[in-house]
Amino acid sequence: MTKINKNYLNLQGSYLFSTIAKKVNTFSAENPDAKIIRLGIGDVTQALTPTIISSLHQAVDEMKDKSTFKGYAPDLGYDFLRKAIADNDYKLRGCKIEADEIFVSDGAKCDSGNIQEIFSVDNKIAVCDPVYPVYVDSNVMAGRSGTFVEGTGKYSNIIYMPCTKENGFAPQLPTDEVPDIIYLCFPNNPTGATITKSELQKWVDYANEHESVIIYDAAYEAYIRDEDVPHSIYECDNATTCAIELRSFSKNAGFTGVRLGFTVIPKELVRDGQSLHTLWARRHSTKYNGAPYIVQKAGEAVYSEEGKKEIKGLVDYYMRNASYILNGLREAGYEVSGGKNAPYIWLKTPDNMTSWDFFDYLLNTANVVGTPGSGFGPNGEGYFRLTAFGNYEATVEAVDRIKNL
Amino acid sequence: MTKINKNYLNLQGSYLFSTIAKKVNTFSAENPDAKIIRLGIGDVTQALTPTIISSLHQAVDEMKDKSTFKGYAPDLGYDFLRKAIADNDYKLRGCKIEADEIFVSDGAKCDSGNIQEIFSVDNKIAVCDPVYPVYVDSNVMAGRSGTFVEGTGKYSNIIYMPCTKENGFAPQLPTDEVPDIIYLCFPNNPTGATITKSELQKWVDYANEHESVIIYDAAYEAYIRDEDVPHSIYECDNATTCAIELRSFSKNAGFTGVRLGFTVIPKELVRDGQSLHTLWARRHSTKYNGAPYIVQKAGEAVYSEEGKKEIKGLVDYYMRNASYILNGLREAGYEVSGGKNAPYIWLKTPDNMTSWDFFDYLLNTANVVGTPGSGFGPNGEGYFRLTAFGNYEATVEAVDRIKNL
């Protein structure tokens, strides 16, 4: 008699963005004339750039002739892409990461959900609160979370690191108990907060001292403007002995619908006597079959001279949105943060409204969709996330509508 | 202190095809003039067909304009593709499968590795012996296999169902112990054996009676020629209450490097009081972000009238190879099976050679790469798999070389 994975029953409600989509669909059906502006889910809106389009067409043409056709990709990614990543994202920044330490995948969401598999169920994880839900949910599914404690919004066996106005939305080093695995995401989703290199160095030192592992999600690094904010955790000393880094092509090159990302596991990262690089390579070769050739070629084009210029244009476009939202809401009297080195703006709901009440209020009155902060954890309650990934004109209209409420 | 998933240490050697690749690379480096012909890994060699190429180009062009650009795909797949699958692969064959019971993914390898996650670690699985290694290895990683018993080639907590010459390479219903989860693959990888509808019905009845679940891998259904061989397990009565089906676009449309597959979980499939459809939907929405839009459009084109004709041409091409291998080896005195409703030919090694000895022998003398049967399980020892996925000319040459040994 087949038994199911009962850990799944421990999950709370459905995935945040599915819930939002359902609410918006219901509102839309009831109000067919409402012109809804979506600044909720972190999905990009601008087209792929000319260099990317051209590389996709070229790669498709290679597939039409058997002399240039490509079947199964190498499990861990094509060398041309792994090398482009190592050279541009790491060596140019002085990070000692080699091409064969990079694992190409179909996106950072998949990697951030799957990475926990190579660790024992006995590890205790620490997450920021608020936090990107995938880190928590994938650990719940694996049975690492303990039970959900009603009324607290927390699982009994997870260490929550509060990110609040008081600490500038940056977590403090855990003191009560040492976590085995620490999830960090900077620039942060959802708060848009960043961390300086010297602050991040403290986490690296802590992880090395305690033989913990940091899973560092740098999906938003392209949005960093300030000099003292690191683009990679490997800019810190000795990070190669404690950190795994996750990266994405979704938010810089607009690949949310193209699907490409990568994970870096340095070869010298050893825990429990085992190379984590070897474990992840085994996971990849057993359960994954490589990202599509045409998509990996598009990824390579991101690192061409023209590609880099175009991607900078895309990021600048979204950052203009971020500035407009930040300034507009501030003028309207909202308490806002993020949006300077990140595409997310984190705002305090007015009049002590709950996050979901403010979601409904904004949807009903301004027809603007955002993301309730409480969906990211208990310390997100009373906050709300807006994204800079919309069209500029729509973003301006959304902000103006909110200002005029 | 971070602890690793010790189940990984229970895996035997590296993934079969990685080992083969390393052996071939070594031979190739030492014998740079050898013209190696690869009939080992099941990778296709012929180009994508014109209709597929055209749909890929069109979809790429949609991505260059923000009015037609596509970001995140729906987690479970675009409706246009789910509907095309339901209509063509199921309703046309009289199977009651709806579009919303289909989960689009980046391939059957990923799905067959991931599907075990929704089940408890306490389930006992049954696999054919020989078997596609992913079923076993993904269960070893999850801790469901027990320990590896040296000398037997088996894990202590897995039920192995022998597929031998004596039973026509078709497993018998387990009698000693009832498995909770049964992996079946027809047309079979690696033996190329098939199952009739009436035989498969016995498995469905068995699973329903014992409340087991069948994970039915039908990745090779396009190669079926005989009328009494079912293309889907849902052609059997009451299969929707016991079976999950895995499908691929790799072997019919040549998408090994394009990456597209799907899993079917009927809504009425309930175990342990839970809908498996709901569990898998939750897994998809938490840990996966959809297959690329351009790839899903290519998948839709597979079901167009022109697409169907072209795909039939591809399958016919490979089946001509299969016939040539089958007849050629038979003439050369080999004992062969498979290759009639499947792209795999299963041959008995001559002179009681081990599978790996025959691998080395064939590589060294004929410069032909095949797959050692023992890599698929203990009952594969003394057997060898050749695939029909090569170029016709190369396949003919490989067979002629073997005949002339």
Side-chain angles (χ1 to χ4, degrees):
Chain A
M1 201 157 71
T2 317
K3 296 160 286 288
I4 64 129
N5 177 351
K6 292 234 165 41
N7 297 320
Y8 274 56
L9 307 181
N10 218 354
L11 290 163
Q12 298 305 304
S14 63
Y15 185 64
L16 174 62
F17 296 108
S18 313
T19 309
I20 292 173
K22 276 176 205 153
K23 269 186 177 263
V24 174
N25 288 343
T26 304
F27 177 83
S28 192
E30 289 168 3
N31 302 275
D33 295 333
K35 193 190 153 206
I36 296 172
I37 301 179
R38 291 159 204 266
L39 302 181
I41 192 166
D43 197 2
V44 297
T45 53
Q46 303 305 297
L48 296 182
T49 64
T51 300
I52 306 300
I53 292 290
S54 157
S55 74
L56 283 167
H57 279 308
Q58 280 175 37
V60 169
D61 279 335
E62 287 184 60
M63 300 295 272
K64 78 179 176 194
D65 187 307
K66 75 176 177 184
S67 67
T68 50
F69 173 81
K70 300 287 186 301
Y72 288 125
D75 289 328
L76 311 184
Y78 277 102
D79 287 341
F80 63 76
L81 179 57
R82 300 171 87 189
K83 188 174 180 311
I85 292 167
D87 288 350
N88 288 280
D89 283 326
Y90 295 101
K91 292 184 181 171
L92 276 183
R93 294 197 181 277
C95 306
K96 284 180 197 152
I97 296 295
E98 299 299 327
D100 64 358
E101 296 177 310
I102 288 156
F103 298 79
V104 176
S105 76
D106 62 334
K109 180 179 175 189
C110 311
D111 284 350
S112 66
N114 293 331
I115 191 71
Q116 46 77 31
E117 278 185 41
I118 63 170
F119 300 106
S120 166
V121 176
D122 297 333
N123 290 291
K124 191 146 191 174
I125 70 159
V127 296
C128 291
D129 170 21
V131 68
Y132 177 50
V134 172
Y135 312 151
V136 172
D137 288 353
S138 57
N139 278 288
V140 173
M141 290 166 160
R144 219 173 266 114
S145 63
T147 51
F148 189 74
V149 185
E150 291 298 339
T152 67
K154 298 181 182 180
Y155 288 91
S156 59
N157 198 40
I158 289 180
I159 299 171
Y160 291 84
M161 305 182 291
C163 296
T164 62
K165 184 184 162 187
E166 287 66 35
N167 61 24
F169 304 103
Q172 310 295 296
L173 292 171
T175 47
D176 294 349
E177 190 181 8
V178 176
D180 304 305
I181 298 170
I182 302 162
Y183 287 84
L184 294 177
C185 172
F186 291 106
N188 188 257
N189 176 11
T191 68
T194 50
I195 193 166
T196 62
K197 188 171 157 184
S198 57
E199 281 300 312
L200 185 57
Q201 184 66 54
K202 291 180 192 167
W203 286 90
V204 168
D205 294 342
Y206 176 93
N208 274 322
E209 181 190 343
H210 297 285
E211 295 185 51
S212 305
V213 167
I214 296 171
I215 297 173
Y216 193 75
D217 185 344
Y220 301 96
E221 66 82 25
Y223 293 85
I224 295 171
R225 303 288 171 109
D226 291 350
E227 281 290 321
D228 61 345
V229 176
H231 290 248
S232 164
I233 195 169
Y234 304 116
E235 293 180 38
C236 294
D237 295 334
N238 304 315
T240 50
T241 54
C242 71
I244 292 171
E245 184 163 289
L246 312 177
R247 289 278 191 103
S248 169
F249 289 80
S250 287
K251 308 304 164 78
N252 56 351
F255 278 23
T256 54
V258 178
R259 309 308 312 143
L260 192 65
F262 61 91
T263 288
V264 183
I265 308 191
K267 290 195 171 176
E268 60 187 8
L269 176 44
V270 171
R271 285 294 180 273
D272 217 358
Q274 302 293 327
S275 154
L276 300 188
H277 183 282
T278 301
L279 294 177
W280 187 241
R282 187 61 198 253
R283 199 260 169 213
H284 247 268
S285 65
T286 302
K287 296 193 190 179
Y288 185 58
N289 229 335
Y293 173 71
I294 53 180
V295 171
Q296 294 196 50
K297 287 301 282 184
E300 184 188 31
V302 168
Y303 295 104
S304 66
E305 283 314 308
E306 275 308 306
K308 284 182 194 174
K309 271 185 225 159
E310 293 168 2
I311 268 62
K312 184 178 177 305
L314 269 182
V315 171
D316 286 349
Y317 179 94
Y318 292 129
M319 286 310 281
R320 184 169 61 143
N321 291 350
S323 295
Y324 196 88
I325 299 172
L326 205 57
N327 296 332
L329 293 184
R330 199 165 273 153
E331 282 169 30
Y334 284 92
E335 197 178 305
V336 283
S337 62
K340 283 199 167 160
N341 294 287
Y344 294 124
I345 289 86
W346 190 239
L347 68 92
K348 181 91 196 73
T349 59
D351 307 324
N352 292 317
M353 289 172 89
T354 68
S355 299
W356 277 110
D357 282 349
F358 188 69
F359 174 91
D360 291 332
Y361 168 74
L362 221 56
L363 179 59
N364 286 311
T365 58
N367 305 152
V368 170
V369 180
T371 310
S374 58
F376 299 102
N379 270 302
E381 183 56 275
Y383 285 88
F384 202 74
R385 191 191 75 174
L386 292 174
T387 90
F389 289 123
N391 280 308
Y392 179 70
E393 295 73 20
T395 302
V396 167
E397 186 176 336
V399 171
D400 292 350
R401 284 189 202 165
I402 296 173
K403 282 165 83 171
N404 293 332
L405 282 180
Chain B
M1 199 157 72
T2 318
K3 296 159 286 288
I4 64 129
N5 177 352
K6 292 233 165 40
N7 297 319
Y8 274 56
L9 307 182
N10 218 355
L11 290 162
Q12 297 305 303
S14 64
Y15 185 64
L16 173 62
F17 297 109
S18 312
T19 309
I20 292 173
K22 276 177 205 154
K23 270 187 177 260
V24 174
N25 288 342
T26 304
F27 177 83
S28 191
E30 289 168 1
N31 302 274
D33 296 334
K35 193 190 154 207
I36 295 171
I37 301 178
R38 290 159 205 268
L39 302 180
I41 193 166
D43 197 3
V44 298
T45 53
Q46 303 305 296
L48 296 183
T49 65
T51 300
I52 306 301
I53 292 290
S54 158
S55 74
L56 283 166
H57 279 308
Q58 280 173 39
V60 169
D61 279 336
E62 286 183 62
M63 300 296 272
K64 78 179 176 193
D65 187 307
K66 75 177 177 184
S67 68
T68 51
F69 173 81
K70 300 287 185 303
Y72 289 124
D75 289 329
L76 311 184
Y78 278 101
D79 287 341
F80 63 77
L81 180 57
R82 299 172 89 190
K83 188 173 179 310
I85 292 168
D87 288 350
N88 289 279
D89 284 326
Y90 295 101
K91 292 184 181 171
L92 276 183
R93 293 196 181 279
C95 305
K96 284 179 199 154
I97 296 295
E98 300 298 327
D100 65 357
E101 296 177 311
I102 288 156
F103 298 78
V104 175
S105 77
D106 62 333
K109 181 179 174 188
C110 311
D111 284 351
S112 66
N114 293 330
I115 191 72
Q116 46 77 32
E117 278 185 40
I118 63 171
F119 300 106
S120 165
V121 176
D122 297 332
N123 291 291
K124 191 147 190 175
I125 70 159
V127 296
C128 290
D129 170 21
V131 68
Y132 178 50
V134 171
Y135 312 151
V136 173
D137 288 353
S138 57
N139 278 288
V140 173
M141 290 167 160
R144 218 173 266 112
S145 64
T147 50
F148 190 74
V149 186
E150 291 298 338
T152 67
K154 298 180 182 179
Y155 288 91
S156 60
N157 198 40
I158 290 179
I159 299 171
Y160 292 84
M161 305 181 291
C163 297
T164 61
K165 184 184 162 186
E166 288 66 35
N167 60 24
F169 304 104
Q172 310 294 296
L173 292 171
T175 47
D176 295 349
E177 190 180 7
V178 176
D180 304 305
I181 298 170
I182 302 162
Y183 287 84
L184 294 178
C185 172
F186 291 107
N188 188 256
N189 175 13
T191 68
T194 50
I195 193 167
T196 62
K197 189 171 158 184
S198 57
E199 281 300 312
L200 186 56
Q201 185 66 54
K202 292 179 190 167
W203 286 90
V204 168
D205 295 342
Y206 176 93
N208 275 320
E209 181 190 342
H210 295 100
E211 294 186 53
S212 305
V213 168
I214 295 171
I215 296 174
Y216 193 74
D217 185 344
Y220 301 95
E221 67 82 24
Y223 293 84
I224 295 171
R225 303 290 171 106
D226 291 350
E227 281 290 321
D228 60 345
V229 175
H231 290 246
S232 165
I233 195 169
Y234 303 115
E235 294 180 38
C236 295
D237 294 336
N238 304 315
T240 50
T241 54
C242 71
I244 292 172
E245 184 162 290
L246 312 177
R247 288 279 191 103
S248 170
F249 289 79
S250 287
K251 308 304 165 77
N252 56 350
F255 278 23
T256 54
V258 178
R259 311 307 311 143
L260 192 66
F262 60 91
T263 288
V264 183
I265 307 189
K267 290 195 170 174
E268 59 187 10
L269 176 45
V270 171
R271 285 294 180 274
D272 217 358
Q274 302 294 326
S275 154
L276 300 188
H277 183 282
T278 301
L279 294 177
W280 187 241
R282 185 63 198 252
R283 198 261 169 214
H284 248 270
S285 65
T286 302
K287 297 193 191 179
Y288 185 59
N289 229 334
Y293 174 70
I294 53 180
V295 171
Q296 294 195 51
K297 286 302 281 184
E300 184 188 31
V302 167
Y303 296 104
S304 66
E305 283 314 307
E306 275 308 305
K308 284 181 192 173
K309 271 185 225 158
E310 292 168 2
I311 268 63
K312 185 179 177 304
L314 268 183
V315 171
D316 287 348
Y317 178 95
Y318 292 129
M319 286 309 281
R320 184 169 62 141
N321 290 350
S323 295
Y324 195 89
I325 299 172
L326 204 58
N327 296 333
L329 293 184
R330 199 165 273 154
E331 281 169 31
Y334 285 91
E335 197 178 305
V336 284
S337 62
K340 283 198 166 161
N341 294 288
Y344 293 124
I345 289 87
W346 191 239
L347 68 91
K348 181 91 195 72
T349 59
D351 306 325
N352 291 316
M353 289 171 89
T354 69
S355 299
W356 277 109
D357 282 349
F358 188 69
F359 175 91
D360 291 332
Y361 168 74
L362 221 56
L363 179 60
N364 286 311
T365 58
N367 305 153
V368 171
V369 179
T371 310
S374 58
F376 298 101
N379 270 302
E381 182 57 276
Y383 285 88
F384 202 73
R385 190 191 77 173
L386 291 174
T387 90
F389 290 122
N391 279 307
Y392 180 70
E393 295 73 19
T395 303
V396 167
E397 186 177 334
V399 172
D400 292 350
R401 284 189 202 165
I402 297 173
K403 283 165 83 170
N404 293 331
L405 281 179

